[in-house]
Amino acid sequence: KFVATAATATLVASAFAPVASAATADASKFKDVASKYKDAVEFVVSKGAVGTSETTFGTDANIKRGDAAVLLVNVLGLDIEKAPASGFKDVNTRLAKHINALKAAGITTGKTETTFDPDAKITRGELAIWVVKAFKLEGTTSKEFEDVNTVYKPYVSALVANEITKGATEETFGTTANAKRGDYAI
């Protein structure tokens, strides 16, 4: 459980486009980090995550697909130099090598065969798929969420079984909701 949680937290750290330098990104300086986020944010900052400014981590800010991809690739230590071109035509040079590696590892297929949509906000459902595939999480649970269809069910089930999440509410996972930086850190 700890390894999976730590790996997930580390995953979050690298996904955020840096605004403040790593040298000045001390978690105690962030004024928007509530106690429920404190340990997770301190951990991801220790792994290189930075805030959205010198004094905010951005716990309530959405995460873009491109930034989430960079984070996951960095945490996994995937080789970004040897990954073949993904074929996505909408990826800029800052993201291309990371997204190539993510696709080569079988973690994502993109939005379509030729688009990744790096500037779109990533959903909780999309992250569930990436995290489960990336860390090869297994497990099932009898917990049923009203908003989890058959595409997401095995991934959400594995996250719940590994105690990575309990859902957005008792009844919903929040599959189509945008993922927030603070929740991703947790």
Side-chain angles (χ1 to χ4, degrees), residues 56-138:
T56 60
F57 181 75
T59 54
D60 291 330
N62 295 318
I63 305 165
K64 292 181 180 179
R65 288 174 50 84
D67 293 333
V70 169
L71 169 63
L72 183 53
V73 168
N74 289 346
V75 167
L76 295 172
L78 299 177
D79 187 342
I80 64 171
E81 299 302 327
K82 293 183 181 174
S86 65
F88 300 133
K89 299 182 184 318
D90 61 345
V91 177
N92 65 37
T93 55
R94 178 182 76 88
L95 303 172
K97 289 181 179 183
H98 291 84
I99 293 171
N100 292 345
L102 197 67
K103 184 178 179 189
I107 296 167
T108 190
T109 57
K111 290 286 190 167
T112 71
E113 193 173 305
T114 59
T115 62
F116 182 78
D117 204 6
D119 292 325
K121 296 168 183 123
I122 194 163
T123 66
R124 290 173 49 87
E126 291 170 328
L127 281 180
I129 292 171
W130 286 11
V131 169
V132 169
K133 285 183 174 183
F135 296 101
K136 298 175 178 54
L137 298 176
E138 296 179 358

Coordinates of all heavy atoms in Angstrom, one line a residue, residues 56-138:
T56 N 2.0 29.3 -3.5 CA 0.9 28.4 -3.7 C 1.3 27.1 -4.4 O 2.1 27.2 -5.3 CB -0.3 29.0 -4.5 OG1 0.2 29.4 -5.8 CG2 -0.9 30.2 -3.8
F57 N 0.8 26.0 -3.9 CA 1.0 24.7 -4.6 C 0.0 24.5 -5.7 O 0.3 23.9 -6.7 CB 0.9 23.6 -3.6 CG 1.2 22.3 -4.3 CD1 2.5 21.9 -4.6 CD2 0.1 21.4 -4.5 CE1 2.7 20.7 -5.3 CE2 0.4 20.2 -5.2 CZ 1.7 19.8 -5.5
G58 N -1.2 25.1 -5.6 CA -2.3 24.9 -6.5 C -3.1 23.7 -6.3 O -3.4 23.0 -7.2
T59 N -3.3 23.4 -5.0 CA -4.0 22.1 -4.7 C -5.4 22.0 -5.4 O -5.8 20.9 -5.7 CB -4.2 22.0 -3.2 OG1 -4.9 23.2 -2.7 CG2 -2.9 21.8 -2.4
D60 N -6.1 23.1 -5.7 CA -7.4 23.1 -6.3 C -7.3 23.3 -7.8 O -8.3 23.3 -8.5 CB -8.3 24.1 -5.7 CG -8.7 23.8 -4.3 OD1 -8.8 22.6 -4.0 OD2 -8.9 24.7 -3.5
A61 N -6.1 23.4 -8.4 CA -5.9 23.6 -9.8 C -6.0 22.3 -10.6 O -5.6 21.2 -10.1 CB -4.6 24.3 -10.1
N62 N -6.5 22.4 -11.8 CA -6.6 21.2 -12.6 C -5.2 20.8 -13.2 O -4.4 21.6 -13.3 CB -7.6 21.4 -13.8 CG -9.0 21.7 -13.4 OD1 -9.5 21.0 -12.5 ND2 -9.6 22.7 -14.0
I63 N -5.1 19.6 -13.6 CA -3.9 19.1 -14.2 C -4.1 18.8 -15.7 O -5.1 18.2 -16.0 CB -3.5 17.7 -13.5 CG1 -3.3 17.9 -12.1 CG2 -2.2 17.2 -14.2 CD1 -3.3 16.5 -11.3
K64 N -3.2 19.3 -16.5 CA -3.3 19.0 -17.9 C -2.7 17.6 -18.3 O -1.8 17.1 -17.6 CB -2.5 20.1 -18.7 CG -3.2 21.4 -18.7 CD -2.4 22.4 -19.5 CE -3.0 23.8 -19.4 NZ -2.2 24.7 -20.2
R65 N -3.2 17.0 -19.3 CA -2.8 15.7 -19.8 C -1.3 15.7 -20.0 O -0.6 14.7 -19.7 CB -3.5 15.3 -21.0 CG -5.0 14.9 -20.7 CD -5.7 14.6 -22.0 NE -5.1 13.7 -22.9 CZ -5.2 12.3 -22.8 NH1 -5.9 11.8 -21.9 NH2 -4.5 11.6 -23.7
G66 N -0.8 16.7 -20.7 CA 0.7 16.8 -21.0 C 1.5 16.8 -19.7 O 2.5 16.1 -19.6
D67 N 1.1 17.6 -18.8 CA 1.9 17.7 -17.5 C 1.8 16.4 -16.7 O 2.8 16.0 -16.1 CB 1.4 18.9 -16.7 CG 1.7 20.2 -17.3 OD1 2.7 20.3 -18.1 OD2 1.0 21.2 -17.1
A68 N 0.6 15.8 -16.7 CA 0.5 14.5 -16.0 C 1.4 13.4 -16.7 O 1.9 12.6 -16.0 CB -1.0 14.1 -16.0
A69 N 1.5 13.5 -18.0 CA 2.3 12.5 -18.7 C 3.8 12.7 -18.4 O 4.5 11.7 -18.1 CB 2.1 12.7 -20.2
V70 N 4.3 13.9 -18.3 CA 5.7 14.2 -17.9 C 5.9 13.7 -16.6 O 6.9 13.0 -16.3 CB 6.0 15.7 -18.0 CG1 7.3 16.0 -17.4 CG2 5.9 16.2 -19.5
L71 N 5.0 13.9 -15.6 CA 5.2 13.4 -14.3 C 5.3 11.9 -14.2 O 6.2 11.4 -13.6 CB 4.0 13.9 -13.4 CG 3.9 13.2 -12.0 CD1 5.1 13.6 -11.2 CD2 2.7 13.6 -11.4
L72 N 4.4 11.2 -14.9 CA 4.4 9.8 -14.8 C 5.6 9.2 -15.4 O 6.3 8.3 -14.9 CB 3.1 9.3 -15.5 CG 2.9 7.8 -15.5 CD1 3.0 7.2 -14.1 CD2 1.6 7.4 -16.1
V73 N 6.1 9.7 -16.5 CA 7.3 9.3 -17.2 C 8.5 9.5 -16.3 O 9.4 8.6 -16.1 CB 7.5 9.9 -18.5 CG1 8.9 9.7 -19.1 CG2 6.4 9.5 -19.5
N74 N 8.6 10.6 -15.6 CA 9.7 10.9 -14.7 C 9.7 10.0 -13.6 O 10.8 9.5 -13.2 CB 9.7 12.3 -14.3 CG 10.0 13.3 -15.4 OD1 10.5 12.9 -16.4 ND2 9.8 14.6 -15.2
V75 N 8.6 9.7 -13.0 CA 8.5 8.8 -11.8 C 8.9 7.4 -12.2 O 9.6 6.7 -11.5 CB 7.1 8.9 -11.2 CG1 6.9 7.7 -10.2 CG2 6.8 10.2 -10.5
L76 N 8.4 7.0 -13.3 CA 8.7 5.6 -13.8 C 10.2 5.5 -14.3 O 10.6 4.4 -14.4 CB 7.7 5.2 -14.9 CG 6.3 5.1 -14.5 CD1 5.4 4.9 -15.7 CD2 6.1 4.0 -13.5
G77 N 10.8 6.6 -14.6 CA 12.2 6.5 -15.1 C 12.2 6.0 -16.5 O 13.2 5.3 -16.9
L78 N 11.2 6.2 -17.3 CA 11.2 5.7 -18.7 C 12.2 6.4 -19.5 O 12.5 7.6 -19.3 CB 9.8 5.9 -19.3 CG 8.6 5.1 -18.6 CD1 7.3 5.5 -19.3 CD2 8.9 3.7 -18.6
D79 N 12.8 5.7 -20.5 CA 13.8 6.3 -21.4 C 13.1 7.1 -22.4 O 12.4 6.6 -23.3 CB 14.6 5.1 -22.0 CG 15.8 5.7 -22.8 OD1 15.8 6.9 -23.2 OD2 16.7 4.8 -23.1
I80 N 13.3 8.4 -22.3 CA 12.6 9.3 -23.3 C 13.4 9.5 -24.6 O 12.9 10.0 -25.6 CB 12.3 10.7 -22.7 CG1 13.6 11.4 -22.3 CG2 11.4 10.6 -21.5 CD1 13.3 12.9 -21.9
E81 N 14.6 9.1 -24.5 CA 15.5 9.2 -25.7 C 15.3 8.1 -26.7 O 15.5 8.3 -27.9 CB 17.0 9.3 -25.3 CG 17.3 10.5 -24.4 CD 16.9 11.8 -25.0 OE1 17.0 12.0 -26.3 OE2 16.6 12.8 -24.3
K82 N 15.0 6.9 -26.3 CA 14.9 5.8 -27.2 C 13.4 5.4 -27.6 O 13.2 4.6 -28.5 CB 15.5 4.5 -26.5 CG 17.0 4.7 -26.4 CD 17.6 3.5 -25.8 CE 19.1 3.6 -25.6 NZ 19.7 2.5 -24.9
A83 N 12.4 6.1 -27.0 CA 11.1 5.8 -27.4 C 10.8 6.2 -28.8 O 11.1 7.3 -29.2 CB 10.1 6.4 -26.4
P84 N 10.1 5.4 -29.6 CA 9.8 5.7 -30.9 C 8.7 6.8 -31.0 O 8.0 7.0 -30.0 CB 9.2 4.4 -31.5 CG 8.7 3.7 -30.4 CD 9.6 4.0 -29.2
A85 N 8.6 7.5 -32.0 CA 7.6 8.6 -32.2 C 6.2 8.1 -32.0 O 5.9 7.0 -32.5 CB 7.7 9.3 -33.5
S86 N 5.4 8.8 -31.2 CA 4.1 8.3 -30.9 C 3.1 8.5 -32.0 O 2.1 7.8 -32.1 CB 3.5 9.2 -29.7 OG 3.4 10.5 -30.1
G87 N 3.4 9.4 -33.0 CA 2.4 9.6 -34.1 C 1.4 10.7 -33.7 O 0.6 11.0 -34.6
F88 N 1.5 11.2 -32.5 CA 0.6 12.3 -32.1 C 1.1 13.6 -32.8 O 2.2 14.0 -32.6 CB 0.5 12.5 -30.6 CG 0.0 11.2 -29.9 CD1 0.7 10.8 -28.8 CD2 -1.1 10.5 -30.4 CE1 0.3 9.6 -28.1 CE2 -1.5 9.4 -29.7 CZ -0.8 8.9 -28.6
K89 N 0.2 14.3 -33.5 CA 0.5 15.5 -34.2 C 0.3 16.8 -33.4 O 0.7 17.8 -33.9 CB -0.2 15.5 -35.6 CG 0.1 14.3 -36.5 CD -0.7 14.4 -37.8 CE -0.5 13.2 -38.7 NZ 0.8 12.7 -38.8
D90 N -0.2 16.6 -32.2 CA -0.6 17.8 -31.5 C 0.3 18.0 -30.2 O -0.1 18.7 -29.3 CB -2.1 17.8 -31.0 CG -2.4 16.6 -30.2 OD1 -1.6 15.6 -30.1 OD2 -3.5 16.6 -29.5
V91 N 1.5 17.4 -30.2 CA 2.4 17.5 -29.1 C 3.6 18.4 -29.4 O 4.2 18.2 -30.4 CB 2.8 16.0 -28.7 CG1 3.8 16.1 -27.6 CG2 1.6 15.1 -28.4
N92 N 3.8 19.3 -28.4 CA 4.9 20.2 -28.6 C 6.3 19.6 -28.2 O 6.3 18.5 -27.7 CB 4.7 21.5 -27.9 CG 4.7 21.4 -26.4 OD1 5.4 20.6 -25.8 ND2 3.8 22.1 -25.7
T93 N 7.4 20.2 -28.5 CA 8.7 19.6 -28.2 C 9.0 19.4 -26.8 O 9.7 18.5 -26.4 CB 9.8 20.5 -28.9 OG1 9.7 21.8 -28.4 CG2 9.7 20.5 -30.4
R94 N 8.4 20.3 -25.9 CA 8.6 20.1 -24.4 C 8.0 18.7 -24.0 O 8.6 18.1 -23.1 CB 7.9 21.2 -23.6 CG 8.1 21.1 -22.1 CD 7.4 22.2 -21.3 NE 5.9 22.0 -21.3 CZ 5.3 21.3 -20.4 NH1 5.9 20.7 -19.4 NH2 4.0 21.3 -20.4
L95 N 7.0 18.3 -24.6 CA 6.3 17.1 -24.1 C 6.5 15.9 -25.0 O 6.3 14.7 -24.5 CB 4.7 17.4 -24.2 CG 4.2 18.5 -23.3 CD1 2.8 18.8 -23.6 CD2 4.5 18.3 -21.9
A96 N 7.0 16.0 -26.2 CA 7.0 14.9 -27.2 C 7.7 13.7 -26.7 O 7.2 12.6 -26.8 CB 7.6 15.4 -28.5
K97 N 8.9 13.8 -26.2 CA 9.7 12.7 -25.8 C 9.0 11.9 -24.6 O 9.0 10.7 -24.6 CB 11.1 13.0 -25.4 CG 12.0 13.5 -26.6 CD 13.4 13.8 -26.2 CE 14.2 14.2 -27.4 NZ 15.6 14.5 -27.0
H98 N 8.5 12.7 -23.7 CA 7.8 12.0 -22.6 C 6.5 11.3 -23.0 O 6.3 10.2 -22.6 CB 7.4 13.1 -21.5 CG 8.6 13.7 -20.8 ND1 9.3 14.7 -21.4 CD2 9.2 13.3 -19.7 CE1 10.3 15.0 -20.5 NE2 10.2 14.2 -19.5
I99 N 5.8 11.9 -23.9 CA 4.5 11.2 -24.4 C 4.9 10.1 -25.3 O 4.2 9.0 -25.3 CB 3.6 12.3 -25.1 CG1 3.1 13.3 -24.0 CG2 2.5 11.6 -25.8 CD1 2.4 14.5 -24.5
N100 N 6.0 10.2 -26.1 CA 6.4 9.0 -26.8 C 6.7 7.8 -25.9 O 6.3 6.7 -26.2 CB 7.7 9.4 -27.6 CG 7.5 10.4 -28.7 OD1 6.4 10.6 -29.1 ND2 8.6 10.9 -29.2
A101 N 7.4 8.1 -24.8 CA 7.8 7.0 -23.8 C 6.5 6.5 -23.2 O 6.4 5.3 -23.0 CB 8.7 7.6 -22.8
L102 N 5.6 7.3 -22.9 CA 4.3 6.9 -22.2 C 3.6 5.9 -23.2 O 3.1 4.9 -22.7 CB 3.5 8.1 -21.8 CG 2.4 7.8 -20.8 CD1 3.0 7.5 -19.5 CD2 1.5 9.1 -20.7
K103 N 3.5 6.3 -24.4 CA 2.8 5.4 -25.4 C 3.6 4.1 -25.6 O 3.0 3.1 -25.7 CB 2.6 6.2 -26.7 CG 1.8 5.3 -27.7 CD 1.5 6.0 -29.0 CE 0.7 5.1 -29.9 NZ 0.6 5.6 -31.3
A104 N 4.9 4.2 -25.8 CA 5.7 3.0 -26.0 C 5.6 2.0 -24.8 O 5.7 0.8 -25.0 CB 7.2 3.4 -26.2
A105 N 5.4 2.6 -23.6 CA 5.3 1.7 -22.4 C 3.9 1.1 -22.3 O 3.6 0.3 -21.5 CB 5.6 2.5 -21.2
G106 N 3.0 1.5 -23.3 CA 1.6 0.9 -23.2 C 0.7 1.5 -22.2 O -0.3 0.9 -21.9
I107 N 1.0 2.7 -21.7 CA 0.2 3.3 -20.7 C -0.9 4.2 -21.2 O -1.9 4.3 -20.6 CB 1.2 4.1 -19.7 CG1 2.1 3.1 -19.0 CG2 0.4 4.9 -18.7 CD1 3.3 3.8 -18.3
T108 N -0.6 4.7 -22.4 CA -1.7 5.5 -23.1 C -1.7 5.2 -24.6 O -0.7 4.8 -25.1 CB -1.4 7.0 -22.8 OG1 -2.6 7.8 -23.3 CG2 -0.2 7.6 -23.6
T109 N -2.8 5.5 -25.1 CA -3.0 5.4 -26.6 C -3.3 6.7 -27.2 O -3.5 6.9 -28.4 CB -4.1 4.3 -27.0 OG1 -5.3 4.7 -26.4 CG2 -3.7 2.9 -26.6
G110 N -3.5 7.7 -26.3 CA -3.9 9.0 -26.7 C -5.4 9.1 -26.9 O -6.2 8.2 -26.6
K111 N -5.9 10.3 -27.3 CA -7.3 10.5 -27.5 C -7.8 9.8 -28.8 O -8.9 9.3 -28.9 CB -7.7 12.0 -27.6 CG -7.5 12.7 -26.2 CD -8.7 12.3 -25.3 CE -8.7 13.2 -24.1 NZ -9.9 13.1 -23.3
T112 N -6.9 9.9 -29.8 CA -7.1 9.2 -31.1 C -5.8 8.7 -31.5 O -4.8 8.9 -30.8 CB -7.7 10.2 -32.2 OG1 -6.6 11.0 -32.6 CG2 -8.9 10.9 -31.7
E113 N -5.7 8.1 -32.7 CA -4.5 7.5 -33.2 C -3.4 8.6 -33.4 O -2.2 8.4 -33.3 CB -4.7 6.8 -34.5 CG -3.6 5.9 -34.9 CD -3.9 5.0 -36.1 OE1 -4.9 4.3 -36.0 OE2 -3.2 5.1 -37.1
T114 N -3.9 9.8 -33.8 CA -3.0 10.9 -34.1 C -3.0 12.1 -33.1 O -2.4 13.1 -33.4 CB -3.2 11.4 -35.5 OG1 -4.6 11.9 -35.6 CG2 -2.9 10.3 -36.5
T115 N -3.9 12.1 -32.1 CA -3.9 13.2 -31.1 C -3.8 12.7 -29.7 O -4.3 11.6 -29.3 CB -5.3 14.0 -31.3 OG1 -6.4 13.1 -31.0 CG2 -5.4 14.6 -32.7
F116 N -3.1 13.5 -28.9 CA -2.9 13.2 -27.5 C -3.8 14.2 -26.7 O -4.2 13.9 -25.6 CB -1.5 13.3 -27.1 CG -1.2 13.0 -25.7 CD1 -1.2 11.7 -25.2 CD2 -1.0 14.0 -24.7 CE1 -1.0 11.4 -23.9 CE2 -0.8 13.7 -23.4 CZ -0.8 12.4 -23.0
D117 N -3.9 15.4 -27.2 CA -4.7 16.5 -26.5 C -4.0 16.9 -25.2 O -4.6 16.9 -24.1 CB -6.1 16.1 -26.2 CG -7.1 17.3 -26.1 OD1 -6.6 18.4 -26.3 OD2 -8.2 17.0 -25.7
P118 N -2.7 17.3 -25.3 CA -1.9 17.6 -24.1 C -2.4 18.8 -23.3 O -2.1 18.8 -22.1 CB -0.5 17.9 -24.7 CG -0.8 18.4 -26.1 CD -2.0 17.6 -26.5
D119 N -3.1 19.7 -23.8 CA -3.6 20.9 -23.1 C -5.0 20.7 -22.4 O -5.4 21.5 -21.7 CB -3.6 22.1 -24.0 CG -2.2 22.6 -24.4 OD1 -1.3 22.4 -23.6 OD2 -2.1 23.0 -25.5
A120 N -5.6 19.5 -22.7 CA -6.9 19.2 -22.1 C -6.6 18.9 -20.6 O -5.6 18.3 -20.3 CB -7.6 18.1 -22.8
K121 N -7.6 19.1 -19.8 CA -7.6 18.7 -18.4 C -7.7 17.2 -18.3 O -8.6 16.7 -19.0 CB -8.6 19.5 -17.6 CG -8.4 21.0 -17.6 CD -9.6 21.7 -17.0 CE -9.4 23.2 -17.1 NZ -10.4 23.9 -17.9
I122 N -6.9 16.6 -17.6 CA -7.0 15.1 -17.4 C -8.1 14.8 -16.4 O -8.2 15.5 -15.4 CB -5.7 14.5 -17.1 CG1 -5.7 13.0 -17.3 CG2 -5.2 14.9 -15.7 CD1 -4.4 12.3 -17.4
T123 N -8.9 13.8 -16.7 CA -9.9 13.4 -15.8 C -9.4 12.3 -14.8 O -8.4 11.7 -15.0 CB -11.1 12.8 -16.6 OG1 -10.7 11.6 -17.2 CG2 -11.7 13.8 -17.6
R124 N -10.2 12.2 -13.8 CA -9.9 11.1 -12.8 C -10.0 9.7 -13.4 O -9.2 8.9 -13.0 CB -10.9 11.2 -11.6 CG -10.7 12.5 -10.7 CD -11.8 12.7 -9.7 NE -12.1 11.5 -8.9 CZ -11.4 11.2 -7.8 NH1 -10.5 11.9 -7.3 NH2 -11.8 10.1 -7.1
G125 N -10.8 9.5 -14.3 CA -10.9 8.2 -15.0 C -9.7 8.0 -15.8 O -9.1 6.8 -15.8
E126 N -9.2 9.0 -16.6 CA -8.0 8.8 -17.4 C -6.8 8.5 -16.5 O -6.0 7.6 -16.8 CB -7.7 10.1 -18.2 CG -8.7 10.3 -19.3 CD -8.6 11.6 -20.0 OE1 -8.3 12.6 -19.3 OE2 -8.9 11.7 -21.2
L127 N -6.7 9.2 -15.4 CA -5.6 9.0 -14.4 C -5.7 7.6 -13.8 O -4.6 6.9 -13.6 CB -5.6 10.0 -13.3 CG -5.0 11.4 -13.7 CD1 -5.0 12.3 -12.5 CD2 -3.5 11.2 -14.2
A128 N -6.9 7.1 -13.6 CA -7.0 5.8 -13.0 C -6.4 4.8 -14.0 O -5.6 3.9 -13.5 CB -8.5 5.5 -12.8
I129 N -6.7 4.9 -15.2 CA -6.1 4.0 -16.2 C -4.6 4.1 -16.2 O -3.9 3.1 -16.2 CB -6.7 4.2 -17.6 CG1 -8.2 3.9 -17.7 CG2 -5.9 3.5 -18.7 CD1 -8.9 4.3 -18.9
W130 N -4.1 5.3 -16.3 CA -2.6 5.5 -16.4 C -1.9 4.9 -15.1 O -0.9 4.2 -15.3 CB -2.3 6.9 -16.5 CG -2.5 7.6 -17.8 CD1 -3.2 7.0 -18.9 CD2 -2.1 8.8 -18.3 NE1 -3.2 7.9 -19.9 CE2 -2.6 9.0 -19.6 CE3 -1.4 9.8 -17.6 CZ2 -2.3 10.2 -20.3 CZ3 -1.1 11.0 -18.3 CH2 -1.6 11.2 -19.7
V131 N -2.4 5.2 -14.0 CA -1.8 4.8 -12.7 C -1.8 3.3 -12.6 O -0.8 2.6 -12.3 CB -2.4 5.5 -11.5 CG1 -1.9 4.8 -10.2 CG2 -2.1 7.0 -11.5
V132 N -2.9 2.6 -12.9 CA -3.0 1.2 -12.8 C -2.1 0.5 -13.8 O -1.3 -0.4 -13.5 CB -4.4 0.7 -13.0 CG1 -4.5 -0.8 -13.1 CG2 -5.3 1.1 -11.8
K133 N -2.0 1.0 -15.0 CA -1.1 0.4 -16.1 C 0.3 0.7 -15.7 O 1.2 -0.2 -15.8 CB -1.4 1.0 -17.4 CG -2.7 0.5 -18.1 CD -2.9 1.0 -19.5 CE -4.1 0.4 -20.2 NZ -4.2 1.0 -21.6
A134 N 0.6 1.9 -15.3 CA 2.0 2.3 -15.0 C 2.6 1.4 -13.9 O 3.8 1.0 -14.0 CB 2.1 3.8 -14.6
F135 N 1.8 1.2 -12.8 CA 2.4 0.5 -11.7 C 1.9 -0.9 -11.6 O 2.2 -1.6 -10.6 CB 2.0 1.3 -10.4 CG 2.7 2.6 -10.3 CD1 1.9 3.8 -10.7 CD2 4.0 2.8 -10.0 CE1 2.5 5.0 -10.7 CE2 4.6 4.0 -10.1 CZ 3.9 5.1 -10.4
K136 N 1.3 -1.4 -12.7 CA 0.8 -2.8 -12.8 C 0.0 -3.2 -11.5 O 0.3 -4.3 -10.9 CB 2.0 -3.7 -13.0 CG 2.7 -3.4 -14.4 CD 3.9 -4.2 -14.5 CE 4.6 -4.0 -15.9 NZ 5.0 -2.7 -16.2
L137 N -0.9 -2.3 -11.1 CA -1.7 -2.6 -9.9 C -2.7 -3.7 -10.3 O -3.3 -3.7 -11.3 CB -2.4 -1.3 -9.4 CG -1.5 -0.2 -9.0 CD1 -2.3 1.0 -8.6 CD2 -0.6 -0.7 -7.8
E138 N -3.0 -4.5 -9.3 CA -4.0 -5.6 -9.5 C -4.9 -5.5 -8.3 O -4.6 -5.0 -7.2 CB -3.3 -6.9 -9.6 CG -2.5 -7.1 -10.8 CD -1.8 -8.5 -10.9 OE1 -2.0 -9.3 -10.0 OE2 -1.1 -8.7 -11.9

